[in-house]
């Protein structure tokens, strides 16, 4: 049946030359699940059809090798989580065909993915959570990701990304302003330059971390539930202008501003 086809033509790409590990081969989906499910496994709308897989939650599944481009043919996928494995190589452009995706997680803790973040992933118009932290990605954060109107969480910290954080009018796009639902943005320990986009001031966020970059300029008034999520923002490599927002400089930071040099007038 269909699962025989899957195991013959799709699973070998996962098992042999690409990602292999403790999961599969498969003879059916273990269970159906709602899109909010976070339980380990594969889930589908049709037990007999491997291309009806909607959730692939394989975090910590001992997968090794590279991500197979063939995964892009499973266009029913809504949720892909292959974090905390031992994957390497680049993100396949072919995954841009997964236009129904709302969650894509490839965080490190074992993974060592590299290359750039594909601009073609702008086609993911339903994406809500994008996590690619703790890998070895380089290049910039594509301004094309401004096409993600439902984005709620982005985690890209602990990589080798550079360039500016998306701001109003950058390359004809405005990623920060185009994320009306953003609540979580972590980009610390990269090499971003420029300033914190003023667009973030219009978002009510629970987490915003940009420390350990090469940021400069004035910190805009931020609507973050805990400004201390910016802890050490002026330490080491960032060099924000004085004055800092009063709540930030008085409560959270060991040095007020100026790249660890201290001083400056605070403002409310």
């Amino acid at each position: 049946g269909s699962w025989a086809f899957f195991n013959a033509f799709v699973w070998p790409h996962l098992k042999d030359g690409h990602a292999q590990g403790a999961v599969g081969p498969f003879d059916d989906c273990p269970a159906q699940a709602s899109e909010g499910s976070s339980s380990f496994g594969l889930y589908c709308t049709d037990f007999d059809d491997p291309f009806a897989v909607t959730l692939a939650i394989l975090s910590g599944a001992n997968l090794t090798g590279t991500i197979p481009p063939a995964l892009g043919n499973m266009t029913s996928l809504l949720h892909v989580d292959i974090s905390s494995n031992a994957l390497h190589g680049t993100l396949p452009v072919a995954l841009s065909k997964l236009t129904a995706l709302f969650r894509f997680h490839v965080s490190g803790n074992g993974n060592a993915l590299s290359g750039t973040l594909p601009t073609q992933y702008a086609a993911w118009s339903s994406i809500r959570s994008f996590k690619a932290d703790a890998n070895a990605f380089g290049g910039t954060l594509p301004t094309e990701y401004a096409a993600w109107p439902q984005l709620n969480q982005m985690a890209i910290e602990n990589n080798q990304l550079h360039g500016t954080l998306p701001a109003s009018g950058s390359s004809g796009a405005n990623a920060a302003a185009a994320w009306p639902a953003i609540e979580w943005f972590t980009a610390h320990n990269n090499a971003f330059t420029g300033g914190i986009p003023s667009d973030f001031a219009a978002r009510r966020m629970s987490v915003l971390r940009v420390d350990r970059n090469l940021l400069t300029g004035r910190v805009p008034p931020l609507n973050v539930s805990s400004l201390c999520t910016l802890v050490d923002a002026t330490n080491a490599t960032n060099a924000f202008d004085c004055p800092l927002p009063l709540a930030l400089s008085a409560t959270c930071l060991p040095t007020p501003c100026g790249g660890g040099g201290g001083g400056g007038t605070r403002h409310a």
Side-chain angles (χ1 to χ4, degrees):
S2 296
W3 282 101
F5 174 82
F6 177 82
N7 288 318
F9 294 101
V10 180
W11 176 249
H13 290 289
L14 298 169
K15 178 174 181 290
D16 296 325
H18 297 284
Q20 57 184 342
V23 295
F26 306 103
D27 55 12
D28 61 23
C29 286
Q32 291 181 326
S34 67
E35 68 174 33
S37 176
S38 59
S39 298
F40 181 90
L42 292 178
Y43 301 87
C44 58
T45 56
D46 183 343
F47 290 162
D48 295 322
D49 183 1
F51 292 98
V53 173
T54 55
L55 312 184
I57 307 175
L58 302 175
S59 178
N62 300 317
L63 298 175
T64 62
T66 60
I67 301 172
L71 192 64
N73 294 327
M74 304 182 71
T75 54
S76 294
L77 279 167
L78 301 173
H79 179 168
V80 172
D81 186 351
I82 47 177
S83 302
S84 303
N85 284 289
L87 300 171
H88 61 84
T90 61
L91 294 177
V93 171
L95 301 191
S96 63
K97 294 185 290 184
L98 304 178
T99 55
L101 269 184
F102 69 87
R103 189 174 294 142
F104 183 73
H105 295 176
V106 291
S107 300
N109 299 319
N111 288 340
L113 297 166
S114 58
T116 59
L117 302 177
T119 59
Q120 293 86 347
Y121 289 3
W124 294 349
S125 59
S126 297
I127 198 76
R128 302 175 203 168
S129 181
F130 179 86
K131 295 185 178 181
D133 52 293
N135 283 284
F137 291 115
T140 62
L141 175 58
T143 56
E144 289 83 354
Y145 290 2
W148 291 350
Q150 300 185 57
L151 187 69
N152 181 262
Q153 295 185 348
M154 175 176 280
I156 52 173
E157 69 268 21
N158 298 319
N159 280 291
Q160 300 166 21
L161 298 168
H162 59 84
T164 59
L165 296 174
S168 295
S170 59
S171 299
N174 180 356
W179 297 335
I182 192 74
E183 294 183 5
W184 181 297
F185 182 83
T186 50
H188 49 285
N189 199 25
N190 281 288
F192 286 112
T193 55
I196 298 177
S198 59
D199 306 280
F200 281 120
R203 303 287 173 256
R204 184 169 183 83
M205 305 181 70
S206 59
V207 174
L208 172 62
R209 283 200 61 179
V210 293
D211 49 286
R212 286 171 287 160
N213 281 285
L214 302 171
L215 298 172
T216 56
R218 183 162 175 162
V219 178
L222 297 168
N223 189 6
V224 182
S225 59
S226 174
L227 279 173
C228 292
T229 58
L230 281 166
V231 67
D232 292 333
T234 63
N235 240 9
T237 53
N238 288 335
F240 293 122
D241 293 342
C242 297
L244 290 174
L246 178 61
L248 183 62
S249 59
T251 308
C252 309
L253 301 178
T255 53
C257 49
T265 303
R266 298 170 180 170
H267 69 280

